[in-house]
Amino acid sequence: MKGAKKTKKTQSQEAKIGFSSSSSTPKIEIKTPSKNSNTKSGIPKYVANRMARRIVFTTGIPTISGMGVFIGSYFLISKGIAEISPTVTLVSSAMCFLVGLLGLSYGILSASWDISPGSFLGFENIKPNINRMKDAFKSSKNEITS
């Protein structure tokens, strides 16, 4: 078989090139992370756990309440206890879901990035976390343009 044996130089070229000009079959490009890449990018695990706990409370409770509005309205109407307009049910449920959506953002932005957990409500962490988010968008935008 002629040409079946490949040298290291040929193999490294195939790993770097998306399509080989000598054959009609495409070659897969394998990207390995460089040693110079920033290993501290991303959210630390203890911060992610803190965010998840806050999100469970600030999103979970309003979402369960939004579903509870439908169940409560059905119960009150079916038992004849109260006559509730479908509009009232829909609006009150939508308000609960909206509070849950806001709670999602609050849960992420109020989590402390320090090793210590910070305060119970975390209002002091919102502004620094917004600045971190802006910096991350700026750096990703610079990477895209360069």
Side-chain angles (χ1 to χ4, degrees), residues 60-128:
I61 293 171
T63 302
I64 291 170
S65 299
M67 290 183 274
V69 167
F70 284 112
I71 296 168
S73 294
Y74 173 76
F75 178 76
L76 292 174
I77 293 170
S78 65
K79 298 292 181 182
I81 298 173
E83 190 64 35
I84 301 172
S85 168
T87 305
V88 172
T89 301
L90 184 64
V91 168
S92 60
S93 178
M95 293 301 292
C96 289
F97 289 129
L98 180 64
V99 169
L101 183 63
L102 294 174
L104 178 66
S105 300
Y106 174 77
I108 292 170
L109 293 175
S110 67
S112 172
W113 280 61
D114 297 330
I115 294 179
S116 62
S119 68
F120 181 70
L121 294 176
F123 288 127
E124 71 278 359
N125 298 315
I126 293 175
K127 188 172 182 174

Side-chain angles (χ1 to χ4, degrees), residues 28-50:
I28 298 173
E29 182 178 344
I30 301 169
K31 292 184 178 181
T32 57
S34 65
K35 293 177 183 175
N36 297 335
S37 66
N38 188 3
T39 58
K40 287 193 163 195
S41 65
I43 300 172
K45 185 173 179 126
Y46 61 91
V47 176
N49 291 339
R50 201 171 291 146

